Amino acid sequence: MSRTVAFGRDILGAPDVDIEDLLACLSSSEVQCMLDELASDPDDKHVPPSVRNAYRCEKKATGELNHGSLIKHIKEESLASPDKEDIVSFEAGIKRGKIFVPTYTDEEQEEMNRKAEIAEKVKLDPEEEEALAAASLEDVMALADILNTNPQNFIMEAYANPLQYFEPDPPNSTDPKAVLDKLSINDQEVKDVNLNNISGIEEKEMCSIFDALRRNSSLTKLSVVNCDINDFAVSTLILALEENQSLLSLNLEGNRISPDTLASLFESLATCRNGLIEVRVAGQAQEKMGHRVESRIADAVVKNPRLIKLGIKFEFKEVMNRVSRHLIKNMDNIRRKRKGEVVE
């Protein structure tokens, strides 16, 4: 069995010495240095920086700390200090020492070859290519200044592919009055109503459309996006959805609905018997709802056994995780019912 040796001495064979006797042999300054050394921890963020090391400054303060004067003094000292001369003077274009040669994997090499082929294909006309190649740095900067852009961005845009033009969507030609009439008489052919981006719908007319859902049994999808819907109209919709069981999808994105009214909408959907499986309310005028409102919405969604699609932006991860888990659970329950399994 090997014996323990420290500092050239056999520890196991050394005589027992009381720790009090060892401390008695030390002076007060040596004891303080030992305590500072044992207590210092440079990684401890819970103590001030001045006590994270064993050094203790015993000098008296010369006055209050002047941060501006200190920074000025540091700058003056740095400018006054002479620069160290290079042992070997720098010469442009000369490489000294071992030259680094990068190595690439097969995947990286293929990616580099692919980018090189794309850069080879994307070229300007011969005249433009010749003019740009012969242009000096001052010419490129002057041209970029004329075009009011950055020279680097100008070069990238010059070699970029031309932009594709897509025709804008045609304006929505749906007549709100005709929709109201068909919903009021419960027209069985009206399954989908799209009122997106129709401006100028009065609040009274929108409330009438929502109120017509009370006695309607044919409409399955309602989309009212970017129509300046306010809280009063949504309150009418909440009362109508308490009696409607045919609507499956509701889209109210891009309106002026307050967060508390949204929470009331989800609470109503969780308590009343309706058939909604998809609700989209993102992009309201007030996007930040706060933890209180988001918690109300999450509590209401968790109590809703029918909802499987939800379009809303949550700020807090905990709320988003609760809602996501519940929506997945609802979809899994639908799958189990389809297979004839027992759902808890």
Side-chain angles (χ1 to χ4, degrees):
M1 179 178 180
S2 62
R3 304 181 67 83
T4 305
V5 178
F7 301 103
R9 297 182 179 182
D10 189 356
I11 296 178
L12 296 180
D16 294 336
V17 180
D18 191 2
I19 189 66
E20 298 293 340
D21 297 337
L22 293 177
L23 293 177
C25 299
L26 301 177
S27 63
S28 59
S29 60
E30 291 175 340
V31 173
Q32 185 63 38
C33 291
M34 184 178 65
L35 292 177
D36 293 340
E37 188 69 31
L38 294 175
S40 62
D41 185 4
D43 298 327
D44 190 359
K45 63 180 180 180
H46 301 289
V47 298
S50 59
V51 296
R52 293 182 190 177
N53 51 52
Y55 174 74
R56 297 291 181 268
C57 182
E58 303 296 339
K59 296 180 180 180
K60 295 183 179 180
T62 57
E64 296 182 357
L65 175 63
N66 189 337
H67 184 266
S69 177
L70 177 61
I71 297 299
K72 182 180 179 181
H73 173 73
I74 293 175
K75 289 183 178 180
E76 292 177 352
E77 286 290 327
S78 62
L79 294 175
S81 302
D83 297 335
K84 293 183 179 180
E85 296 183 0
D86 295 334
I87 300 177
V88 179
S89 59
F90 171 76
E91 296 182 17
I94 298 179
K95 297 182 180 180
R96 297 184 174 90
K98 185 178 179 180
I99 300 176
F100 172 74
V101 179
T103 57
Y104 303 100
T105 61
D106 296 338
E107 292 78 6
E108 293 175 344
Q109 192 66 38
E110 292 178 0
E111 182 68 17
M112 293 173 60
N113 295 338
R114 188 182 64 82
K115 292 182 178 180
E117 292 177 359
I118 295 176
E120 185 68 22
K121 293 179 181 179
V122 181
K123 286 188 175 181
L124 300 176
D125 295 337
E127 297 179 356
E128 298 176 350
E129 193 78 45
E130 182 180 358
L132 193 59
S136 62
L137 179 60
E138 290 76 10
D139 297 335
V140 174
M141 295 186 66
L143 184 58
D145 188 29
I146 295 174
L147 299 177
N148 194 20
T149 183
N150 186 278
Q152 183 178 2
N153 296 337
F154 167 71
I155 296 296
M156 295 175 62
E157 293 174 2
Y159 285 94
N161 293 329
L163 297 177
Q164 297 182 359
Y165 175 76
F166 296 93
E167 293 290 341
D169 295 334
N172 195 343
S173 59
T174 305
D175 186 6
K177 295 183 179 179
V179 171
L180 175 60
D181 296 337
K182 292 182 179 181
L183 292 179
S184 300
I185 63 176
N186 196 11
D187 191 347
Q188 297 299 319
E189 295 182 358
V190 180
K191 302 293 183 181
D192 185 357
V193 171
N194 186 345
L195 299 176
N196 297 347
N197 303 318
I198 298 180
S199 59
I201 302 179
E202 297 181 357
E203 180 183 12
K204 182 179 180 181
E205 186 176 8
M206 186 62 70
C207 292
S208 301
I209 293 175
F210 288 157
D211 188 66
L213 298 177
R214 292 174 178 267
R215 298 167 296 277
N216 188 276
S217 60
S218 62
L219 186 65
T220 59
K221 184 176 181 180
L222 176 61
S223 181
V224 193
V225 177
N226 193 22
C227 293
D228 289 337
I229 300 176
N230 54 18
D231 293 345
F232 185 77
V234 176
S235 301
T236 306
L237 176 63
I238 292 174
L239 298 176
L241 292 177
E242 293 180 356
E243 303 179 18
N244 183 285
Q245 297 183 2
S246 63
L247 192 63
L248 301 178
S249 176
L250 177 63
N251 192 344
L252 299 175
E253 294 180 342
N255 290 291
R256 297 185 291 107
I257 308 174
S258 64
D260 287 299
T261 304
L262 290 179
S264 302
L265 172 63
F266 283 99
E267 291 173 350
S268 176
L269 296 179
T271 55
C272 64
R273 298 185 60 183
N274 56 77
L276 275 173
I277 61 175
E278 179 182 5
V279 178
R280 300 187 179 277
V281 293
Q284 303 299 325
Q286 182 178 347
E287 294 185 357
K288 302 293 185 180
M289 298 182 291
H291 188 269
R292 178 184 63 84
V293 176
E294 290 190 4
S295 299
R296 286 182 58 190
I297 295 176
D299 294 338
V301 171
V302 170
K303 297 178 183 178
N304 194 324
R306 299 169 297 274
L307 200 61
I308 61 176
K309 292 183 180 180
L310 180 60
I312 190 172
K313 182 179 179 181
F314 290 116
E315 181 182 1
F316 298 94
K317 298 289 185 180
E318 176 265 338
V319 176
M320 183 175 63
N321 291 335
R322 288 174 56 196
V323 173
S324 299
R325 288 197 300 267
H326 183 72
L327 296 180
I328 294 174
K329 179 182 177 181
N330 287 348
M331 289 188 287
D332 188 61
N333 290 339
I334 295 175
R335 178 189 63 82
R336 296 175 63 182
K337 288 181 180 180
R338 186 173 62 250
K339 296 178 64 176
E341 300 179 3
V342 178
V343 179
E344 298 180 359

